[in-house]
Amino acid sequence: MIRFNTAAALLVAALAPAAHCAEPAVRHLQRSYAGGDLDLYAGGGRCVLVLDGSLNSAAEQALDAGLRELQREGCRRGTMVFNVSGGTPAVAYRLADFLSKNAFDTVVAEGGQCYSACAYAFLGGRTRHVAEGARYGVHQHSQSDGSCALELGTAEQERLRGVVQRALPQPAAERLVTRVMATDCRRMDVLSREDLQALSVSTTTQLPLEPAFREAMARRAAQALAELRGPADQPWRRLTGDARLTLYTRGAAEAVAEGRQRLRALTSFTADDTDGASGLRYRSHLTLSDIDCKQRTMTPVRGAYTREAMGEGAVLRQTGRGATQAIAAGTAAAVLYRAACGQPLPN
């Protein structure tokens, strides 16, 4: 986990004044963790961390290591960019405290998301920017048995309210907490542009990143999307389908470890489909997944929702590494298992 006393001391050193650089040469480092990826960008006294995946204990460890990397860069200003589908509230509270103490800006970039626990971490930003096309959503906490927490314990309430009230004026803080508690944990209350501004969740319409950093991040996003789509000279191969959707794969599965195969897939719909949690409407869903042929599990590596069929058109949202899940018989995942492992899913 992030050792905040240690990490704060490191960041104080990292944010110390350094010699001025003209046009920064942006250095990029990429780290994977169990549940996502962390990209680090640094140059000219500026540091940007991009968290793509889940906000869990492994993310804390990755952030701690990332801050150590940035200590050597002489950063004077930090920004945290989120593309996070959820996580652990306790981790989010600690990260919010850390970002606030060290005057980080926070961003949800175009096409990104900050859902569930991420919503609390985001509020730690000195300035906060939710871009056009980005999504910020809240819901009730989930309990260990998968049920929704209709009430929170005293300590949890105090922790949640402490983070929210530090960031937002009243009555906006109380309105956001009310929305958290009123939304079933199996759904997502995605705040509108008007609500983001009215509640002071998003405090600036300007992306707080210099052009050199935007360009470096755009190159990384293009690289990830190209990997997701695969070689254009290879056609999508139909695996199965019905009147509603068709499932395709492209290229051969690639061995990434003993018993694990990485496979590209495309689900193309005949009409707009809707994500049940967020309400996002899309026409196709690209995925890159690791399939464990022995354990019969699937781990999403990255994904993208697009406006048009066959993975074409505008990219509406990109997703990072997700949780490993068991593959059930009779599902699309079972079809992909057969394509990756060369045999049907065992009974």
Side-chain angles (χ1 to χ4, degrees):
M1 61 183 289
I2 292 179
R3 297 177 293 276
F4 281 107
N5 290 337
T6 302
L10 289 175
L11 200 62
V12 166
L15 297 178
H20 176 71
C21 296
E23 182 64 23
V26 177
R27 179 172 175 247
H28 172 231
L29 297 172
Q30 193 269 328
R31 300 285 184 267
S32 294
Y33 65 91
D37 294 305
L38 175 66
D39 287 275
L40 310 172
Y41 301 87
R46 188 83 159 84
C47 294
V48 179
L49 296 88
V50 182
L51 191 67
D52 192 346
S54 178
L55 187 54
N56 55 20
S57 59
E60 275 192 297
Q61 295 173 0
L63 286 165
D64 190 30
L67 290 167
R68 293 176 184 277
E69 293 274 1
L70 296 181
Q71 182 189 18
R72 297 192 288 270
E73 300 294 336
C75 299
R76 297 190 301 276
R77 184 181 175 192
T79 297
M80 185 86 203
V81 181
F82 293 100
N83 184 27
V84 173
S85 58
T88 305
V91 175
Y93 301 149
R94 291 193 291 270
L95 182 54
D97 291 344
F98 178 78
L99 297 174
S100 176
K101 182 176 181 179
N102 293 285
F104 267 68
D105 299 319
T106 52
V107 170
V108 188
E110 183 179 0
Q113 60 186 1
C114 184
Y115 286 163
S116 189
C118 176
Y120 308 144
F122 177 81
L123 293 177
R126 177 184 61 173
T127 65
R128 301 183 294 273
H129 174 74
V130 180
E132 289 283 348
R135 303 171 78 82
Y136 176 98
V138 298
H139 61 186
Q140 295 166 351
H141 296 189
S142 298
Q143 302 187 106
S144 57
D145 62 359
S147 63
C148 300
L150 301 181
E151 295 182 355
L152 298 178
T154 301
E156 182 80 3
Q157 285 190 45
E158 290 178 354
R159 202 69 180 90
L160 169 59
R161 291 181 185 278
V163 168
V164 175
Q165 290 174 359
R166 179 179 60 207
L168 308 182
Q170 290 290 12
E174 193 58 37
R175 287 172 59 193
L176 184 64
V177 172
T178 298
R179 293 179 71 155
V180 169
M181 299 308 301
T183 306
D184 188 286
C185 64
R186 292 170 289 267
R187 301 193 63 80
M188 193 69 61
D189 181 2
V190 179
L191 277 65
S192 67
R193 302 298 305 171
E194 293 76 16
D195 286 345
L196 288 168
Q197 294 175 10
L199 297 178
S200 298
V201 170
S202 185
T203 61
T204 178
T205 58
Q206 301 298 315
L207 178 63
L209 291 173
E210 294 79 7
F213 284 88
R214 298 186 196 187
E215 292 167 7
M217 292 169 62
R219 286 194 297 270
R220 166 67 175 144
Q223 178 188 36
L225 188 59
E227 182 184 7
L228 184 59
R229 283 183 164 142
D233 60 346
Q234 296 184 23
W236 288 104
R237 177 169 61 89
R238 184 181 187 277
L239 296 176
T240 188
D242 55 26
R244 176 172 170 264
L245 62 86
T246 306
L247 182 63
Y248 301 87
T249 188
R250 172 179 266 173
E254 305 166 9
V256 292
E258 184 179 356
R260 290 171 54 202
Q261 301 286 323
R262 182 162 292 180
L263 186 72
R264 290 181 184 85
L266 164 66
T267 306
S268 187
F269 295 85
T270 55
D272 283 359
D273 199 60
T274 303
D275 178 65
S278 66
L280 178 73
R281 296 180 64 82
Y282 59 94
R283 186 60 65 90
S284 56
H285 184 201
L286 292 152
T287 57
L288 185 67
S289 303
D290 286 349
I291 297 174
D292 192 316
C293 300
K294 294 181 180 179
Q295 299 299 320
R296 307 172 197 173
T297 60
M298 175 182 289
T299 305
V301 176
R302 61 175 51 93
Y305 295 86
T306 68
R307 178 63 267 168
E308 304 299 336
M310 298 305 296
E312 300 299 327
V315 175
L316 303 176
R317 189 174 78 198
Q318 293 194 51
T319 56
R321 193 176 299 268
T324 299
Q325 296 183 339
I327 298 174
T331 64
V335 176
L336 296 179
Y337 177 95
R338 181 167 188 162
C341 302
Q343 62 181 16
L345 184 71
N347 295 324

